[in-house]
């Protein structure tokens, strides 16, 4: 692989320009800003490096599909997305969010870590390998959607309509990071999610807070409903919530024992003194990777502006996400939540479902997993940290496990990439290393026996 690695080094400035150009094009799905233009850019880049590309319409934003087909027996796919989060609050950025400035060895831009850096690194790897070797040792596919940041609303529609296009022997998933100590993370799954909004309505108008003596406050009622869901010991009290949780094997626990997790750096990064329940060591890692959550993402009611306003709200809203693990079903979790509210006297509270995502997991002894781990040692010089599942969520099940495709996540982000936050960034050298890693995976996976 040294010949390919040398080529990547010689062309690093070109690959950096590719990434800067893509990051300078806004593509905010939540605001329908720059989406068509970005899809065209991605489609054009695939064609420029010798692939076949097309934009495939969905009921939402199009999927950009790319293919480098050469009649080989094995196929490797890459899942990425071209949409990014809104850049707000802009005033907290040290440089314009879409300027893609390079400072102190880092590229700063909205979407550079999530997900344009990984997307461009993978395209660059295909370009470099083909340029040096005259072709790829396997077929390569790209599935690049435009709605990941708003819940992948129409990805299943695309997969169901184009099953033959997405079929592959393995998939490199969209994200990946280095730990605080510089070691690479390799993730083999994602948690699922049931994201809902609860709405409690009271009087037909807001009124003077003196009426609270005789008129119920919907904010209090919603708080009381929330108190039935979870207790300070982190236990979720929805009947049946834990029934489908898959039992952990000794192998699962052993992976956790080996998994690096820098507690001190994590606490320092977020300005905290301790983790929930005072956990550390193996119990902390088990909770992060394998346990469920019930999280208040936002609460809105009444007057929250500057100064004083004595008001009795007419409505209260809360947004919750439940992070799920194998073998939970997000739709069943929603039904259990609805039943719980009804049985606890809160039938009047409306529950609105939003994101419903299944958990997904790939065995660590899979052929693609072996290739990712072996080539990581080759490129980075150290063993990667293996994460049996990411605590984050994505549509991996829809595109991969549901149709028998193993998926592994590695990428060019790092511990402080600030995804979804101001000053999102990646380290330039990590980006170049990431290109080399993908090129090495392409070669290694081509000769791996399927497990």
């Amino acid at each position: 692989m040294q010949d390919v690695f040398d080529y990547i080094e010689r062309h690093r400035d070109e690959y950096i320009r590719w990434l800067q150009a893509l990051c300078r094009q806004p593509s905010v799905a939540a605001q329908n800003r720059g989406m068509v233009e970005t899809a065209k850019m991605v489609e054009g880049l695939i064609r420029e490096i010798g692939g076949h590309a097309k934009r495939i319409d969905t009921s939402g934003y199009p999927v950009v599909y790319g293919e480098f087909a050469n009649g080989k027996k094995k196929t490797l796919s890459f899942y990425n997305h071209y949409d990014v989060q809104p850049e707000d609050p802009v005033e907290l950025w040290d440089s314009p969010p879409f300027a893609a400035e390079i400072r102190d060895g880092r590229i700063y831009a909205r979407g550079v870590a999530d997900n344009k850096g990984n997307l461009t690194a993978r395209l660059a790897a295909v370009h470099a390998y083909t340029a040096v070797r005259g072709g790829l040792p396997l077929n390569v596919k790209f599935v690049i959607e435009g709605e990941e940041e708003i819940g992948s609303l129409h990805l299943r529609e695309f997969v169901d309509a184009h099953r033959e296009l997405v079929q592959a022997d393995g998939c490199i998933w969209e994200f990946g990071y280095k730990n605080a100590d510089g070691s690479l993370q390799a993730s083999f799954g994602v948690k699922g999610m049931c994201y809902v909004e609860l709405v409690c309505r009271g009087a037909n108008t807001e009124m003077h807070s003196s009426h609270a003596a005789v008129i119920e406050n919907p904010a209090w009622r919603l708080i009381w409903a929330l108190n039935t869901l979870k207790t300070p010991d982190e236990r979720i009290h929805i009947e049946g919530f834990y029934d489908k949780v898959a039992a952990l094997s000794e192998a699962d626990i052993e992976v956790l024992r080996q998994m690096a997790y820098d507690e001190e750096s994590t606490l320092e990064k977020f300005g905290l003194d301790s983790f929930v329940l005072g956990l550390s060591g193996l119990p902390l890692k088990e909770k992060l990777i394998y346990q469920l959550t019930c999280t208040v993402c936002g609460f809105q009611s009444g007057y929250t502006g500057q100064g004083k306003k004595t008001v009795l709200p007419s409505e209260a809203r809360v947004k919750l996400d439940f992070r799920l693990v194998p073998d939970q079903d997000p739709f069943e979790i929603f039904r259990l939540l609805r039943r719980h509210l009804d049985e606890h006297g809160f039938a009047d509270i409306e529950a609105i479902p939003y994101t419903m995502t299944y958990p997904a997991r790939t065995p660590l002894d899979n052929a693609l997993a072996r290739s990712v781990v072996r080539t990581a040692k080759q490129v980075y010089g150290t063993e990667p940290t293996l994460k049996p599942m990411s605590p984050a969520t994505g549509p991996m099940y829809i595109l991969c496990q549901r149709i028998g495709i193993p998926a592994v996540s590695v990428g060019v982000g790092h511990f402080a990439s600030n995804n979804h936050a101001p000053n999102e960034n990646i380290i330039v050298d990590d980006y170049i290393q990431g290109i080399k890693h993908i090129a090495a995976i392409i070669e290694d996976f081509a000769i791996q026996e399927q497990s």
Side-chain angles (χ1 to χ4, degrees), residues 434-451:
I435 297 172
K436 294 176 182 178
H437 190 201
I438 293 299
I441 291 170
I442 287 172
E443 179 163 287
D444 191 272
F445 185 59
I447 61 174
Q448 275 285 317
E449 292 294 330
Q450 292 293 90
S451 53

Side-chain angles (χ1 to χ4, degrees), residues 197-201 222 315-318 348-352:
E197 183 174 21
L198 303 183
V199 184
C200 183
R201 298 180 177 88
L222 189 53
E315 183 178 277
R317 292 174 173 264
V318 67
D348 57 304
I349 293 180
E350 182 182 6
I352 305 169

Side-chain angles (χ1 to χ4, degrees), residues 108-302:
Y108 290 85
R110 171 55 82 232
V112 70
D114 186 15
N115 180 243
K116 292 177 179 179
N118 289 319
L119 168 58
T120 313
R122 294 162 186 190
L123 291 170
V126 169
H127 174 262
Y129 195 101
T130 303
V132 173
R133 301 289 175 82
L136 296 168
L138 41 62
N139 306 305
V140 167
K141 296 179 178 181
F142 283 87
V143 177
I144 309 163
E145 69 157 320
E147 298 181 330
E148 196 276 342
E149 298 293 7
I150 56 173
S152 299
L153 302 175
H154 300 98
L155 184 62
R156 183 164 192 150
E157 171 191 315
F158 167 79
V159 174
D160 288 346
H162 303 282
R163 187 71 64 94
E164 75 287 353
L165 295 184
V166 303
Q167 195 61 56
D169 297 291
C171 177
I172 299 295
W173 200 247
E174 49 116 355
F175 63 82
Y177 306 93
K178 282 185 175 180
N179 297 308
D181 65 0
S183 61
L184 185 74
Q185 293 180 8
S187 298
F188 299 87
V190 294
K191 285 186 176 180
M193 181 189 290
C194 173
Y195 191 104
V196 301
E197 183 174 21
L198 303 183
V199 184
C200 183
R201 298 180 177 88
N204 60 9
T205 183
E206 289 190 348
M207 62 186 75
H208 195 286
S209 64
S210 62
H211 291 286
V214 293
I215 295 178
E216 188 170 46
N217 186 325
W220 275 117
R221 184 160 177 77
L222 189 53
I223 289 170
W224 294 328
L226 292 174
N227 279 336
T228 71
L229 299 182
K230 180 180 170 181
T231 44
D233 62 359
E234 289 288 300
R235 183 74 181 175
I236 299 166
H237 292 273
I238 299 173
E239 186 177 353
F241 190 84
Y242 295 91
D243 288 357
K244 299 289 181 67
V245 175
L248 298 183
S249 66
E250 181 55 38
D252 293 330
I253 300 300
E254 182 58 31
V255 171
L256 282 185
R257 291 193 183 101
Q258 301 298 323
M259 188 185 93
Y261 186 70
D262 192 328
E263 298 178 23
E264 183 177 347
S265 296
T266 301
L267 291 173
E268 181 180 353
K269 176 185 177 183
F270 296 115
L272 298 172
D273 296 324
S274 62
F275 293 101
V276 67
L277 302 179
L279 294 175
S280 65
L282 184 62
L284 176 66
K285 292 189 285 187
E286 181 178 346
K287 184 166 177 57
L288 176 67
I289 301 298
Y290 289 126
Q291 292 188 22
L292 316 156
T293 70
C294 171
T295 302
V296 174
C297 299
F299 194 106
Q300 180 179 353
S301 186

Side-chain angles (χ1 to χ4, degrees), residues 49-64:
I49 64 177
H52 300 283
K54 56 183 175 181
R55 279 170 288 147
I56 300 176
D57 290 333
T58 70
S59 298
Y61 299 119
V63 170
V64 179

Side-chain angles (χ1 to χ4, degrees), residues 81-102:
H81 58 94
Y82 61 87
D83 62 318
V84 304
Q85 283 282 329
E87 63 272 32
D88 305 289
V90 177
E91 65 274 12
L92 296 183
W93 287 77
D94 295 331
S95 56
F98 294 105
E101 288 188 6
I102 298 178

